[in-house]
Amino acid sequence: MVSRFFQLPLSFEMTTKFDLYCTPFGENRTIHMYLPDGYDHSDERYPVIYMFDGQNLFWNEDATYGTCWGIREFLDDWWKKVIVVGVECSHHGNDRLQEYCPYTINSRNFGTIVGTGEQTMQWFVDELKPFIDQNYRTWSHREATAIAGSSMGGMMSLYAVLRYNHVFGKAAVVSPAYFYKIKEFSAEIANNYINPDTRIFISWGQREDWRGYMRRYSTALGAEIDALGAYTLLYKQERGRHCEEDWSKQVEMWMQFLWT
């Protein structure tokens, strides 16, 4: 039986893990959380970054392929103090692909994926974020709330900042897999109100950009977003690959762009 209960850490460490019940999928999700130094010695409130694939953010021993993003080391020395809430993905079969996809896609590599990404985001917005805001000292308004991820998590981050722009004011969209559904993302831009103060970082690696599709799609979507008055930053990582080791090298760039 899956537990619906959770236990907050008795003392606040800079990184901690706990399970939270994910109602749409009927099982717990491990939350990997970073709290700023001095959190437990002050009454200060902090902005929050929600991130996909939480197991890959802080510690190499937790990372799926043995290398993390180095978020902890970066934030330990960075000038701005933020909370990071990393949500570990499902590890059952292709569930990650389904939960991190807002549409149904037909892929030569993966076959048909019936995306449940909208249910994932409803859980983020209706359950996860309220839980974090109620139990930790956060600034809960959209201007202080960001979302970030890579690959399928990058696609979800773009979807989230477009569809739920009243919740997320910033997004880091790293090596997104949105080339499967570029027309749908154009429709999201056209059909949703995008606040002009929205900031979206979009990146791709030179070595993963097969036939230049990621550059073309990113440039086109960025132009559509900018035309609404929002602000995007496009970045091509020279010799960049589709892996955590290279994504870790972009952390300072997107952090600075989103928060300054």
Side-chain angles (χ1 to χ4, degrees):
M1 178 180 294
V2 176
S3 173
R4 291 176 178 265
F5 298 96
F6 52 82
Q7 183 174 2
L8 292 174
L10 297 179
S11 62
F12 293 111
E13 303 293 338
M14 293 186 70
T15 62
T16 187
K17 290 189 283 188
F18 58 90
D19 288 339
L20 190 65
Y21 189 73
C22 183
T23 303
F25 305 117
E27 61 183 13
N28 286 339
R29 286 288 179 269
T30 299
I31 307 300
H32 299 249
M33 195 162 182
Y34 174 94
L35 296 170
D37 187 25
Y39 177 90
D40 55 344
H41 299 301
S42 76
D43 58 1
E44 184 176 354
R45 292 185 176 275
Y46 302 91
V48 184
I49 308 172
Y50 292 88
M51 297 189 68
F52 297 96
D53 293 310
Q55 71 278 6
N56 294 331
L57 304 180
F58 306 129
W59 301 98
N60 288 338
E61 51 264 40
D62 288 336
T64 303
Y65 299 107
T67 301
C68 73
W69 284 46
I71 299 288
R72 174 181 53 87
E73 293 93 334
F74 172 77
L75 289 178
D76 283 351
D77 295 326
W78 200 39
W79 65 273
K80 189 171 183 69
K81 302 304 181 183
V82 300
I83 292 173
V84 178
V85 179
V87 181
E88 187 159 337
C89 66
S90 173
H91 299 290
H92 304 307
N94 281 337
D95 283 0
R96 176 184 176 273
L97 299 180
Q98 295 175 342
E99 293 176 18
Y100 283 9
C101 182
Y103 312 111
T104 295
I105 65 175
N106 294 300
S107 164
R108 180 180 302 175
N109 295 325
F110 304 113
T112 299
I113 299 173
V114 180
T116 56
E118 173 59 20
Q119 292 94 311
T120 298
M121 288 315 308
Q122 288 176 2
W123 178 68
F124 268 56
V125 171
D126 296 337
E127 298 186 49
L128 173 62
K129 186 177 185 298
F131 170 84
I132 297 298
D133 290 337
Q134 290 165 13
N135 288 280
Y136 295 89
R137 296 193 312 276
T138 68
W139 291 115
S140 61
H141 52 290
R142 64 174 298 281
E143 294 83 357
T145 307
I147 192 160
S150 62
S151 192
M152 299 294 285
M155 178 168 66
M156 284 292 291
S157 297
L158 183 61
Y159 178 81
V161 78
L162 297 176
R163 179 67 69 91
Y164 292 91
N165 194 253
H166 62 289
V167 177
F168 304 101
K170 312 170 191 293
V173 180
V174 179
S175 293
Y178 55 39
F179 49 83
Y180 289 114
K181 287 292 179 177
I182 195 70
K183 292 181 180 179
E184 283 78 359
F185 275 103
S186 289
E188 296 289 352
I189 296 169
N191 296 330
N192 290 288
Y193 173 73
I194 310 301
N195 194 301
D197 71 1
T198 301
R199 286 183 167 236
I200 304 175
F201 173 91
I202 303 176
S203 71
W204 63 94
Q206 180 185 32
R207 292 170 63 179
E208 65 173 335
D209 190 13
W210 185 67
R211 295 187 178 179
Y213 287 147
M214 294 185 74
R215 174 186 58 81
R216 291 198 293 274
Y217 292 155
S218 298
T219 300
L221 291 179
E224 293 173 18
I225 294 168
D226 288 346
L228 299 177
Y231 189 25
T232 60
L233 176 63
L234 306 182
Y235 173 63
K236 181 183 79 172
Q237 184 178 25
E238 296 296 332
R239 301 185 62 80
R241 301 163 298 171
H242 198 83
C243 64
E244 280 75 20
E245 181 179 357
D246 285 0
W247 294 331
S248 69
K249 299 172 184 176
Q250 302 180 32
V251 170
E252 181 174 7
M253 179 177 293
W254 61 258
M255 285 282 195
Q256 293 283 10
F257 172 71
L258 296 186
W259 298 107
T260 57

